[in-house]
Amino acid sequence: MEAFVEKSYLYDFYGELLTEHQRRIYQAVNFDDYSEAEVAREEGISRQGVHDLMRRTVKQLEDYENRLHLVERFMKIRSDVRRIQKLTETEDTDTENRLRAIREISSEILDEL
């Protein structure tokens, strides 16, 4: 998964578990495209402090994912839904096989939930 997209998903799923300070700095560096030096100046801390906080925050988000697997499950379900969409767009005469495949995929999704 592309690094930025992965960071975005981790933040979307687990960002509320961070402190307000962590969220503010993480957003500024990753989403608002501020440098660590700019964030440090704005927050009144050292650039090294911003760097260390970012490293700890990324590790914390990754630890949440390693324990809960919410992003992994989301990506799997999204992939399954795309497979269903593709099956519904196909214009072949084997409707029975397509319906069977759709049922199997939807069962997998329900089991995942």
Side-chain angles (χ1 to χ4, degrees), residues 2 4-5 11 14 26 42 62 68-69 100:
E2 184 184 324
F4 178 77
V5 173
Y11 186 79
Y14 306 113
Y26 189 88
E42 185 72 27
E62 289 170 347
L68 301 172
H69 305 284
R100 186 178 313 114

Side-chain angles (χ1 to χ4, degrees), residues 50-66:
V50 171
H51 177 78
D52 291 345
L53 185 124
M54 285 297 298
R55 191 172 35 80
R56 285 191 313 270
T57 301
V58 168
K59 182 177 178 350
Q60 188 175 357
L61 292 171
E62 289 170 347
D63 286 346
Y64 289 141
E65 176 59 14
N66 289 333

Side-chain angles (χ1 to χ4, degrees), residues 10 19 33 38 48 55 62 64 67 75 102 107 109:
L10 288 173
T19 66
D33 205 28
E38 291 171 316
Q48 185 64 44
R55 191 172 35 80
E62 289 170 347
Y64 289 141
R67 290 185 178 125
M75 298 301 288
I102 290 170
S107 291
I109 291 171

Side-chain angles (χ1 to χ4, degrees), residues 5-102:
V5 173
E6 183 175 1
K7 286 180 182 180
S8 296
Y9 279 130
L10 288 173
Y11 186 79
D12 287 347
F13 279 86
Y14 306 113
E16 289 299 315
L17 300 174
L18 301 173
T19 66
E20 176 60 36
H21 183 67
Q22 287 173 309
R23 281 195 304 270
R24 190 173 54 250
I25 290 177
Y26 189 88
Q27 285 177 355
V29 171
N30 284 303
F31 304 128
D32 299 337
D33 205 28
Y34 285 95
S35 69
E36 290 179 352
E38 291 171 316
V39 173
R41 210 172 20 258
E42 185 72 27
E43 293 289 326
I45 59 177
S46 69
R47 189 208 58 79
Q48 185 64 44
V50 171
H51 177 78
D52 291 345
L53 185 124
M54 285 297 298
R55 191 172 35 80
R56 285 191 313 270
T57 301
V58 168
K59 182 177 178 350
Q60 188 175 357
L61 292 171
E62 289 170 347
D63 286 346
Y64 289 141
E65 176 59 14
N66 289 333
R67 290 185 178 125
L68 301 172
H69 305 284
L70 297 178
V71 174
E72 179 185 326
R73 288 179 186 149
F74 170 78
M75 298 301 288
K76 167 83 170 79
I77 290 170
R78 190 173 82 170
S79 171
D80 289 343
V81 169
R82 286 188 172 145
R83 286 174 44 210
I84 289 173
Q85 285 177 327
K86 192 172 242 179
L87 285 167
T88 61
E89 294 168 357
T90 308
E91 294 190 24
D92 62 24
T93 57
D94 198 0
T95 304
E96 187 175 317
N97 281 337
R98 283 190 297 141
L99 288 174
R100 186 178 313 114
I102 290 170

